[in-house]
Structure formats: structure tokens, C-alpha cells
Amino acid sequence: MQNNSFESIQHTLLKNNLQLTLRPARPEDAEQLLVFVEQIAGESENITFGPGEFGMTVEEERAFLQQVATIPTSLYLVAEVAGEIAGTLTFSTGKRSRIRHAGEFGVSVLRKYWNLGIGRHLLTYLISWARQTRIIRKINLRVRVDNLAAIHLYEKAGFVQEGRISREFYLHDQFIDVYHMGLEIDPLPET
Ligand SMILES: CC(C)(COP(=O)(O)OP(=O)(O)OC[C@H]1O[C@@H](n2cnc3c(N)ncnc32)[C@H](O)[C@@H]1OP(=O)(O)O)[C@@H](O)C(=O)NCCC(=O)NCCS
């Protein structure tokens, strides 16, 4: 039998037995999220910005979070461990009817929490949230071709490589290609 219920706040145990909470971000998370973003920017070269480059004020971030909460095809998901933001996943689609069914996401986890399953739990949440919107039919992403951990994670979740785009990243005087990957979504049936 199909389980059609979707819980927006989810609790689960990580591989190290710490409790993970997944929940939509709230406007009052703005300050902590900017601290998280700055930390990630210094920890990984697999995202599109470096330290000091994110460029949002707390007020702008708060307004952004408020706006996301009003859009049924947008998600700003937070992964919390012991009250700390350990990871995030953001997803949005186009606005117009011809492109509202397809969107792209980005995901990041603090380095100290890598390989505990947080990325997998964030992706699983995204996919079941997308299904229950009954609007979203395609999830896309871009990933550096040398980001093997992320590619492994996405393939395990069912994403397939759909193409390779050259020169998407530029750092340390070098261009780096990305793969476009995608997952087709079947909506949850009406109960
Ligand atoms: C990619 C990222 C989100 C993964 O998060 P995570 O919480 O570590 O993910 P998980 O623990 O659920 O899964 C990681 C998987 O990668 C595997 N892995 C780790 N290093 C790997 C490598 N070098 N090659 C292949 N697989 C690797 C792990 O074994 C694990 O797979 P398993 O569950 O089958 O054992 C995290 O590493 C991150 O935030 N990186 C920096 C930002 C980034 O790259 N974001 C994605 C941009 S597209």
C-alpha cells in the first residue's frame, strides 16, 4: 500500500547515532543560515561562491526565506544536529506554467558532518516533498565532474547524467566542467 502522507518536520538517527532533524527554514533562521553559508564557502570549492562572496544581508536573507515559504514549488530545507544547522538544500522551479514543473537544487553539508548520511536524508526529503506537490515532475542539478562524493550520492538516489557542460566553473586559473543530472518525478496519487 502506498503511503501518501508527508511530514514537513522529520527526525531520524544518523550513522553516528546523533539525531537529525529536517525541516523547512524559517525567517528567524536567517542569521544562522548566513553563518552556515560562510562556513561552507570556506570548506568546499564545489559550490559556486567562496568566502565573502555570498552577498546577502540578514534582512535580505530573512525576506528571501519569507518569500520561499509562500511559493508551493520552492523549498529551503534545513538539516539540524544538536541545534546546529549542519546542512541545507534549496530548490526552486520556474514561475510560468510551461516551466513550473521543473526545478534545480543545491545541497551543502558542513565538512565535520560529511559521510553520515545527511546528504542522503536531504535528498530523500526533497524527492518525497516534490511528489506531494503534485506539480513538480523533474528535479535537476549541476555538479562538478570531479565531485565524486556528490555524483555517487545523486546516482544512488536515482539521478542520471543528462549532459556535460564545459567551463561552468573557473577557479585557480582553470575551467571545470559540470554534469547536468536529473530525476523524473511521479506525483503522489490523490487519496
Ligand atoms: C556532497 C555532500 C552534500 C554530501 O553530503 P553527505 O552528508 O556527506 O552525504 P552522505 O553521507 O549522505 O553520502 C555521501 C556518500 O558519498 C560517498 N563518498 C564519499 N567520498 C567519496 C568519493 N571520493 N568518491 C565516491 N563516493 C564518495 C560516501 O561513502 C557516501 O556514500 P554511501 O552512503 O554509499 O556510503 C557534501 O559532501 C557537501 O556538502 N560537499 C560540499 C558541497 C557540495 O559539494 N555540494 C554539492 C554540489 S553539487
Side-chain angles (χ1 to χ4, degrees):
M1 197 168 116
Q2 190 127 29
N3 178 7
N4 283 5
S5 66
F6 174 77
E7 299 292 336
S8 65
I9 301 179
Q10 300 179 7
H11 304 284
T12 185
L13 275 188
L14 291 173
K15 286 178 188 168
N16 62 358
N17 279 332
L18 281 177
Q19 179 167 270
L20 171 72
T21 299
L22 299 177
R23 61 167 177 85
R26 302 184 277 256
E28 54 269 31
D29 293 321
E31 203 161 348
Q32 214 192 330
L33 279 170
L34 288 184
V35 172
F36 169 86
V37 161
E38 198 51 30
Q39 190 169 342
I40 288 288
E43 288 185 350
S44 172
E45 294 188 336
N46 289 324
I47 55 174
T48 54
F49 53 88
E53 290 180 355
F54 188 61
M56 294 261 274
T57 64
V58 175
E59 291 71 33
E60 287 167 343
E61 181 73 5
R62 195 178 297 123
F64 177 70
L65 292 168
Q66 269 156 357
Q67 195 195 10
V68 166
T70 66
I71 303 172
T73 58
S74 290
L75 177 68
Y76 198 133
L77 180 59
V78 161
E80 262 181 342
V81 178
E84 180 179 34
I85 295 180
T88 61
L89 182 152
T90 57
F91 173 90
S92 62
T93 64
K95 285 197 188 109
R96 302 193 174 107
S97 65
R98 292 179 187 178
I99 53 172
R100 197 162 85 113
H101 65 283
E104 186 167 324
F105 78 89
V107 60
S108 301
V109 173
L110 289 183
R111 183 179 278 269
K112 67 176 172 178
Y113 293 113
W114 284 1
N115 298 320
L116 293 174
I118 296 179
R120 181 170 57 84
H121 288 297
L122 285 164
L123 273 189
T124 303
Y125 184 115
L126 169 68
I127 293 165
S128 42
W129 167 84
R131 292 190 74 212
Q132 60 82 46
T133 66
R134 297 193 178 90
I135 303 170
I136 296 160
R137 304 301 304 275
K138 180 77 194 294
I139 299 177
N140 295 314
L141 67 92
R142 277 172 283 179
V143 59
R144 278 177 54 154
V145 293
D146 57 356
N147 190 352
L148 300 182
I151 292 168
H152 170 83
L153 176 66
Y154 302 144
E155 285 180 339
K156 213 168 151 184
F159 285 78
V160 293
Q161 290 179 20
E162 298 187 340
R164 180 174 177 138
I165 307 296
S166 71
R167 296 193 167 190
E168 184 96 337
F169 275 73
Y170 178 73
L171 80 166
H172 308 307
D173 298 324
Q174 281 198 318
F175 294 108
I176 302 148
D177 297 357
V178 297
Y179 292 124
H180 272 211
M181 298 183 73
L183 179 72
E184 294 182 359
I185 296 295
D186 294 326
L188 271 189
E190 303 280 350
T191 43

